[in-house]
């Protein structure tokens, strides 16, 4: 922009912005839109809105009485419509003023919702592929008005002139572009036809394409020969279901596990949701195809569904959703929020129907998307009651449903982390304990809600004391014989705040079990920090929070031959080294992250045992 002359504007006077039109055109046409291909969508949208206004002006006319004709032969791209057209005054008012739209005019303000675009800047997208826009229009509102020609250029200049009515025999508008050489990729006949099909396949007005060859086949075919698949009639419900599934496969490239029809009459929304046949990584949200009044708005509209619904991809056509200025996404308002809630309810209803009437479909769905259902069940009591017994969990009986697991185990124990489950799974299973891995997202919370569905089931967090109580003690003689070794082992592992005990448990192949919860490790770490910071402010704070630090416990298995040999070692250094090795092996089997001191201990004990074995052999 430029500053106005100070001589003409005394100090303190209001000033007006001086706009650099060429810079503004460049900003809007090159930075508002995501790709040059949107130029054709904008031209088609303007044509559709012109047709909508024409039908409002002449309501008795049938829907297919007026249409849109596209032409591209490699040298020009032309979009012609039978819409309401423009007078010379309209051209000066609307085409020469950026940001003003004829759809905002007072005479049709009450019908704004009938139009796709409401921002008056769509025509600027043509400057992405051309340096000049030629518009020839004749108004249907003023039948005796002459045709008017407008030429706009990328530098912000334009010319307007009136022409004889014969220059445009019928009301409507023709927009012609002469593409730049660097825009050939987007203006070739085949590409124009492809873009027209992409954006306008669901338009309600007839759209035809001509590539200049005069042929009627190939590129000369109709752009939108059929209405949306959900708007057609079919001989049977099965035929309808197969047609919708085929359309979903055509659009998304996968065969849907099932197809859910979506119909919200309040906002004029119709479409389908295609259930993905394979597992989707948690949190990954797929974009959905959203059409507004038949025109494709976005292929990546995530906001149309809630986050938990990542197991479906939708294609919908709506009447009342508002596009943003670029018309490539949806405006977040109360209407969109209500639509999102209503579509979520449709998905819940589909899950409920599958659970009630199609167990095979429900099983296949849960196999692929149990995580999505778990995330929904956490916040939706109806889904919780309906599906919790059917959801799979990792347990000491393998991957099974809670319903089956609760029938086998009167008390269901649940761990707070994956690593705790890994530590105890084999021993707990051998001891007959029913343990569920609660370390995965949502699992622990859902397992604790099982009594809401099955009141006879008892659920409790797995406590180390619960597990050790199910391990059999050794006889007194064995305990006394191993006392010296156990004392040396406790001394060697004191640095890890770890006690050592001797028990018998299955499987006998497991030499040792390390019982150590995440909370216990955190408390020991906090206690250590408090000791290191003793006397300072931070140390006082940690000291106030400190509780009695629970100790880890290394439980040696007397049934294991290696342990039975180890407890008889009478060489102090070798006894310490073997205890360290057993601790290291049990820590690795727990699959929790190793502390640096533990990694060092594992390496050192291995080398010491290897050195001892070599000395013995020599």
């Amino acid at each position: 922009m430029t500053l106005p002359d100070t001589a003409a504007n005394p100090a303190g006077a209001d000033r007006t912005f001086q706009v650099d039109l060429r810079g503004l055109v460049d900003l809007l046409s090159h930075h508002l839109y995501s790709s040059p291909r949107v130029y054709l969508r904008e031209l088609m949208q303007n044509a559709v809105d012109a047709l909508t206004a024409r039908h409002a002006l002449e309501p008795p006319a049938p829907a297919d009485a007026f249409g849109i004709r596209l032409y591209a032969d490699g040298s020009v791209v032309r979009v012609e419509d039978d819409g309401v057209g423009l007078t010379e005054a309209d051209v000066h008012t609307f085409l020469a003023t950026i940001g003003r739209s004829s759809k905002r005019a007072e005479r049709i303000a009450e019908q704004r919702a009938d139009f796709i675009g409401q921002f008056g800047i769509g025509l600027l997208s043509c400057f992405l592929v051309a340096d000049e826009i030629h518009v020839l229009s004749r108004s249907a509102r003023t039948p005796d008005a002459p045709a008017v020609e407008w030429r706009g250029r990328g530098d912000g200049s334009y010319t307007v002139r009136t022409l004889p009515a014969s220059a445009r025999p019928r009301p409507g508008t023709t927009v012609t572009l002469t593409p730049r050489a660097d825009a050939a990729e987007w203006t070739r006949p085949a590409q124009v036809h492809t873009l027209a099909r992409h954006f306008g396949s669901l338009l309600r007005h007839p759209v035809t394409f001509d590539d200049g060859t005069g042929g009627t086949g190939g590129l000369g075919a109709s752009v939108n020969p059929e209405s949306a698949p959900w708007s057609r009639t079919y001989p049977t419900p099965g035929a309808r279901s197969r047609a919708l599934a085929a359309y979903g496969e055509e659009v998304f490239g996968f065969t849907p596990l099932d197809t859910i029809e979506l119909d919200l009459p309040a906002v004029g929304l119709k479409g389908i949701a295609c259930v993905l046949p394979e597992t989707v990584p948690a949190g990954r949200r797929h974009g959905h195809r959203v059409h507004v009044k038949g025109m494709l708005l976005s292929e990546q509209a995530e906001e149309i569904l809630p986050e938990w619904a990542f197991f479906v991809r939708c294609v919908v056509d709506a009447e009342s959703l508002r596009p943003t200025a670029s018309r490539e996404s949806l405006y977040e308002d109360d209407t969109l929020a209500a639509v999102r809630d209503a579509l979520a309810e449709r998905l819940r209803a589909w899950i409920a129907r599958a659970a009630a009437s199609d167990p095979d479909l429900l099983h296949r769905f849960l196999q692929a998307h149990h995580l999505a259902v778990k995330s929904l069940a956490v916040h939706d009591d109806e889904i919780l009651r309906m599906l919790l017994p059917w959801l799979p969990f990792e347990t000491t009986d393998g991957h099974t449903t809670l319903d089956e697991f609760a029938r086998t185990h009167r008390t269901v124990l649940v761990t707070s982390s994956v690593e705790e489950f890994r530590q105890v799974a084999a021993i707990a299973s051998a001891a007959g304990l029913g343990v569920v891995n609660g370390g995965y997202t949502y699992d622990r919370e859902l397992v604790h809600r099982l009594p809401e569905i099955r009141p006879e089931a008892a659920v409790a967090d797995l406590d180390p004391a619960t597990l050790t109580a199910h391990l059999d003690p050794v006889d007194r003689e064995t305990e006394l014989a191993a006392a010296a070794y156990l004392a040396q082992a406790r001394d060697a592992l004191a640095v890890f705040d770890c006690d050592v005990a001797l028990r018998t448990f299955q499987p006998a192949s497991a030499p040792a079990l390390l019982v150590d919860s995440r909370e216990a490790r955190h408390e020991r770490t906090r206690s250590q920090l408090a000791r290191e910071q003793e006397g300072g402010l931070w140390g006082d704070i940690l000291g106030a929070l400190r509780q009695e630090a629970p100790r880890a416990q290394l439980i040696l298995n007397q049934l294991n031959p290696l342990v039975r040999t180890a407890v008889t070692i009478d060489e102090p250094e070798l006894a310490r080294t073997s205890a360290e090795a057993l601790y290291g092996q049990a820590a690795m089997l727990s699959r929790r992250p190793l502390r640096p001191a533990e990694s060092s201990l594992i390496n050192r004990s291995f080398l010491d045992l290897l050195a001892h074995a070599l000395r013995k052999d020599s």
Side-chain angles (χ1 to χ4, degrees), residues 254-255 257 275-281 310-311 368-369:
F254 63 83
T255 302
L257 185 66
V275 183
L276 290 154
E278 298 179 350
T279 302
V280 181
F310 53 82
F311 56 87
H369 302 297

Side-chain angles (χ1 to χ4, degrees), residues 236-497:
T236 64
R240 181 179 184 85
S241 178
R242 288 189 295 273
L244 294 179
Y247 180 74
E249 185 172 4
E250 176 187 346
V251 171
F252 296 123
F254 63 83
T255 302
L257 185 66
D258 197 19
T259 305
I260 308 165
E261 284 205 58
L262 306 174
D263 187 4
L264 303 179
V267 292
L269 183 147
K270 293 191 176 203
I272 57 173
C274 298
V275 183
L276 290 154
E278 298 179 350
T279 302
V280 181
R284 177 183 293 180
R285 299 185 66 186
H286 289 288
H288 307 287
R289 289 176 63 95
V290 175
H291 298 251
V292 175
K293 302 176 182 68
M295 181 67 71
L296 178 63
L297 179 78
S298 174
E299 297 176 271
Q300 299 297 326
E302 295 182 354
E303 62 272 20
I304 196 73
L305 288 180
E307 291 187 7
W308 55 261
F310 53 82
F311 56 87
V312 297
R313 294 193 68 183
C314 293
V315 52
V316 299
D317 185 20
E319 295 287 337
S320 302
L321 295 179
R322 293 175 56 194
T324 58
S326 67
R327 288 181 267 192
E328 295 184 336
S329 59
L330 295 171
Y331 186 80
E332 187 69 47
D333 58 9
D334 292 341
T335 300
L336 179 57
V339 166
R340 184 163 49 238
D341 291 342
L343 292 180
E345 186 57 37
R346 298 297 188 276
L347 298 184
R348 291 189 185 95
W350 174 82
I351 295 174
R353 286 196 302 272
S357 61
D358 197 338
D360 179 63
L361 175 61
L362 178 67
H363 176 70
R364 288 184 286 124
F365 170 67
L366 291 179
Q367 272 191 321
H369 302 297
H370 58 271
L371 183 58
V373 177
K374 287 179 179 179
S375 68
L376 175 59
V378 167
H379 307 290
D380 190 308
D381 291 343
E382 182 180 352
I383 293 296
L384 177 78
R385 290 191 297 271
M386 188 186 310
L387 295 183
L388 181 59
W390 300 93
L391 291 173
F393 291 81
E394 184 179 11
T395 74
T396 47
D397 291 351
H399 284 82
T400 185
T401 65
L402 281 186
D403 190 61
E404 295 177 355
F405 195 70
R407 292 175 184 171
T408 307
H409 303 280
R410 188 167 59 181
T411 299
V412 177
L413 302 173
V414 57
T415 64
S416 59
S417 67
V418 174
E419 63 191 49
E420 289 176 2
F421 181 81
R422 297 286 187 263
Q423 289 179 41
V424 305
I427 287 85
S429 178
L433 296 176
V435 182
V436 179
N437 186 351
Y440 295 117
T441 307
Y442 312 119
D443 282 16
R444 184 166 177 265
E445 182 177 355
L446 289 173
V447 173
H448 273 287
R449 297 188 67 179
L450 178 62
E452 298 177 27
I453 315 302
R454 295 179 62 95
E456 70 278 9
V459 178
D461 287 327
L462 178 66
D463 184 87
T466 303
L467 181 63
T468 55
H470 283 77
L471 305 182
D472 296 328
V474 297
D475 58 67
R476 184 174 179 80
E477 291 74 14
T478 302
E479 183 80 32
L480 289 174
Y485 178 84
L486 295 176
Q488 292 172 345
R490 294 186 185 107
D491 183 63
L493 301 180
V495 66
F496 299 112
D497 288 320

Side-chain angles (χ1 to χ4, degrees), residues 48-63 66 82-84 107-112 114-115 140-141 205:
V48 170
D49 286 340
L51 289 170
T52 302
R54 179 79 180 271
H55 280 289
L57 188 67
E58 305 174 23
F66 309 122
D82 300 314
V84 72
R107 58 180 173 264
I108 57 172
E110 69 277 6
Q111 298 163 346
R112 273 182 72 181
D114 293 334
F115 300 96
R141 291 196 180 94
H205 303 285

